[in-house]
Amino acid sequence: MDPVERAREILRQYPLCDSCLGRLFASMGYGVENAERGRAIKTLLHMRLVYDYRNGVDVAEDLKALGRVHAPTRRFLASNGISVEEARCYICGGLLKDVEKYAESVAKALAEIDFGTFQVGSVVPRDMLEREREIVAKFGIETGESIKHEINRRIGRAVGELLRRPASKERPDVVATVNIIDGTVKVARNPLLLLGRYLKLSRVVSQGRLVPGASRTIEEVLDPVRARFGGSALVLHAAGREDSDVRMLGNGRPAVVEIKEPSKYRGDLSGLATEWVILSPLKPGTRNDVREMKAKSKTSIKLYRAVALSDKPISAEDLAKLKALEGAVVVQRTPRRIKRLSPRARRRRMVYNIEAYQIADRVIEVFVRCQGGLYVKEFINGDGGRTQPSVAETLGASLEVVELDVLDVE
């Protein structure tokens, strides 16, 4: 239907300001603000009704309805002896005339945060939303946008002009929510995600929570990174996991460092070097990077080095038998040392290559190149038959892993 005729029907029943009328036709022409669109529709309707009125068509009631929300129509009616009082907008009650006034409060709330991108949200009175829905349903409007969208966009644009940066819908650093009811502003600081790799040089540092035998966690070691950005906490997301007594060497393990509630989103990305952990130079990341890293870690290829102690002497001929494990699919029940998972769960992982060297009569060094997720300690010691096949089973010996290192994460 012609938007002018549709507006004529709506205005007969509801007085609407320029913004609220124009918003009902928001998708009919881009690059035009709702107030401009509504004003143009009212002007066209005014011209049409005045033309009909002067040609003897009885449109007085439509003129009066338009006159409630259109000054030129009121002036025309007054010149013809008809008085019409201006009416408040049925939907917003006049709020949208100066909604940009909240921009200064938002800019002030963001002043203490060093951010790159922002977004504005709003809390709008429920009855205002219900009045808008009433009109949309009654007239079958399919071309509009919600009043919240308009409020957010207009305040966001005004804030952008004050701060000299545009609002962003693509995962902004900060979100400022304006309560239109009482004018308060709440700021949510989204986490800062930083991509990198870490090396763990110590056998007494745990990747996750503190466990027996560990003196600290990687997150504790990385706390200076949190401090650089003024965050409230640091969370490490890694591509796989190593035990606290396992070193992570080589090119390091892919990881995402998450800084909660930072006060700075721009800062030193040079990484960190300590005697326990080395973090490579960082770069900004996203939640999708975390998901992709986690998914890839289940299938990525890893290279391990283990030193194992045998209960009996191992000969070079014995070690040659381990070549039979290359290409094997290893089936593992959840290791007994891991109590958080179902003991009946079974995991299948591929062993691609294996090399073994004799260090002493009862000490061997084993290099295992395998699919990510293989429990390497249990692959070597057999875990009492819960892992098959295993190095211990193949050698016919009881093995204890005394050292384990991750040498590469491909």
Side-chain angles (χ1 to χ4, degrees), residues 171 191-198 207 218-219 222 225-226 233-240 252-260 279-295 297:
R171 200 183 179 280
L192 174 63
L193 300 174
L194 302 171
L195 305 180
R197 285 176 172 258
Y198 73 84
Q207 188 198 90
I218 294 180
E219 291 177 353
L222 297 182
V225 178
R226 176 206 58 77
L234 180 147
V235 177
L236 181 72
H237 306 277
R253 187 184 295 277
V256 175
V257 176
E258 177 178 348
I259 309 295
K260 301 282 190 181
L279 182 66
S280 69
L282 302 163
K283 63 180 181 179
T286 65
R287 285 291 177 195
N288 190 54
D289 291 321
V290 177
R291 288 190 289 269
E292 289 183 355
M293 179 188 69
K294 295 283 190 180
S297 70

Side-chain angles (χ1 to χ4, degrees), residues 68-296:
R68 294 182 298 171
V69 291
H70 191 235
T73 305
R74 286 198 299 276
R75 290 195 296 269
F76 171 76
L77 289 171
S79 69
N80 286 274
I82 302 173
S83 177
V84 175
E85 291 187 4
E86 183 178 4
R88 294 180 64 190
C89 176
Y90 177 76
I91 293 177
C92 77
L95 172 71
L96 294 187
K97 287 183 180 179
D98 61 348
V99 74
E100 285 83 0
K101 68 183 181 182
Y102 296 104
E104 289 189 8
S105 297
V106 173
K108 184 177 180 181
L110 297 177
E112 300 301 318
I113 307 173
D114 180 12
F115 63 92
T117 56
F118 76 96
Q119 188 177 47
V120 170
S122 60
V123 176
V124 177
R126 183 178 299 177
D127 57 348
M128 190 180 295
L129 299 175
E130 290 174 350
R131 290 194 294 270
E132 181 176 61
R133 285 194 289 266
E134 174 190 340
I135 294 175
V136 168
K138 190 168 188 176
F139 293 94
I141 302 297
E142 298 179 347
T143 54
E145 70 168 338
S146 77
I147 190 170
K148 280 177 65 80
H149 288 171
E150 177 174 352
I151 289 171
N152 297 346
R153 182 178 66 253
R154 287 173 57 182
I155 297 177
R157 182 169 58 234
V159 172
E161 291 171 356
L162 289 173
L163 301 179
R164 298 183 179 180
R165 68 192 77 177
S168 172
K169 294 181 180 179
E170 300 298 325
R171 200 183 179 280
D173 294 336
V174 292
V175 178
T177 301
V178 183
N179 189 320
I180 303 301
I181 301 171
D182 59 18
T184 57
V185 179
K186 291 185 178 180
V187 176
R189 291 175 284 173
N190 284 324
L192 174 63
L193 300 174
L194 302 171
L195 305 180
R197 285 176 172 258
Y198 73 84
L199 284 76
K200 185 163 79 72
L201 311 179
S202 170
R203 299 193 189 279
V204 293
V205 175
S206 60
Q207 188 198 90
R209 61 183 176 84
L210 197 62
V211 298
S215 62
R216 54 183 53 83
T217 67
I218 294 180
E219 291 177 353
E220 291 173 340
V221 176
L222 297 182
D223 191 65
V225 178
R226 176 206 58 77
R228 291 178 195 171
F229 298 93
S232 62
L234 180 147
V235 177
L236 181 72
H237 306 277
R241 177 182 296 275
E242 71 279 331
D243 293 337
S244 60
D245 61 346
V246 176
R247 295 185 300 179
M248 177 66 239
L249 305 177
N251 63 346
R253 187 184 295 277
V256 175
V257 176
E258 177 178 348
I259 309 295
K260 301 282 190 181
E261 298 182 315
S263 57
K264 295 171 57 179
Y265 286 84
R266 293 168 289 194
D268 183 2
L269 299 177
S270 61
L272 183 71
T274 73
E275 61 182 297
W276 305 288
V277 176
I278 296 176
L279 182 66
S280 69
L282 302 163
K283 63 180 181 179
T286 65
R287 285 291 177 195
N288 190 54
D289 291 321
V290 177
R291 288 190 289 269
E292 289 183 355
M293 179 188 69
K294 295 283 190 180
K296 187 177 180 181

Side-chain angles (χ1 to χ4, degrees), residues 242-393:
E242 71 279 331
D243 293 337
S244 60
D245 61 346
V246 176
R247 295 185 300 179
M248 177 66 239
L249 305 177
N251 63 346
R253 187 184 295 277
V256 175
V257 176
E258 177 178 348
I259 309 295
K260 301 282 190 181
E261 298 182 315
S263 57
K264 295 171 57 179
Y265 286 84
R266 293 168 289 194
D268 183 2
L269 299 177
S270 61
L272 183 71
T274 73
E275 61 182 297
W276 305 288
V277 176
I278 296 176
L279 182 66
S280 69
L282 302 163
K283 63 180 181 179
T286 65
R287 285 291 177 195
N288 190 54
D289 291 321
V290 177
R291 288 190 289 269
E292 289 183 355
M293 179 188 69
K294 295 283 190 180
K296 187 177 180 181
S297 70
K298 297 177 182 179
T299 57
S300 61
I301 299 174
K302 296 179 173 67
L303 177 62
Y304 292 84
R305 166 194 171 270
V307 175
L309 176 64
S310 172
D311 65 338
K312 68 176 187 179
I314 302 294
S315 66
E317 290 75 15
D318 293 328
L319 294 181
K321 299 176 184 177
L322 297 181
K323 283 296 180 181
L325 296 175
E326 292 188 344
V329 175
V330 179
V331 180
Q332 298 183 296
R333 290 170 61 189
T334 301
R336 287 171 290 187
R337 63 187 173 88
I338 302 179
K339 297 181 175 62
R340 58 186 173 84
L341 299 179
S342 169
R344 291 184 294 275
R346 281 180 167 76
R347 177 177 293 190
R348 290 172 171 79
R349 293 294 189 270
M350 175 76 75
V351 171
Y352 300 106
N353 305 102
I354 185 167
E355 297 286 343
Y357 303 92
Q358 191 173 34
I359 304 300
D361 285 348
R362 297 192 298 116
V363 181
I364 61 173
E365 184 178 41
V366 184
F367 293 86
V368 180
R369 185 170 175 268
C370 59
Q371 184 180 358
L374 180 74
Y375 296 119
V376 178
K377 289 180 180 178
E378 285 69 27
F379 169 63
I380 292 174
N381 64 34
D383 197 24
R386 297 170 68 86
T387 290
Q388 292 185 339
S390 69
V391 172
E393 179 185 47

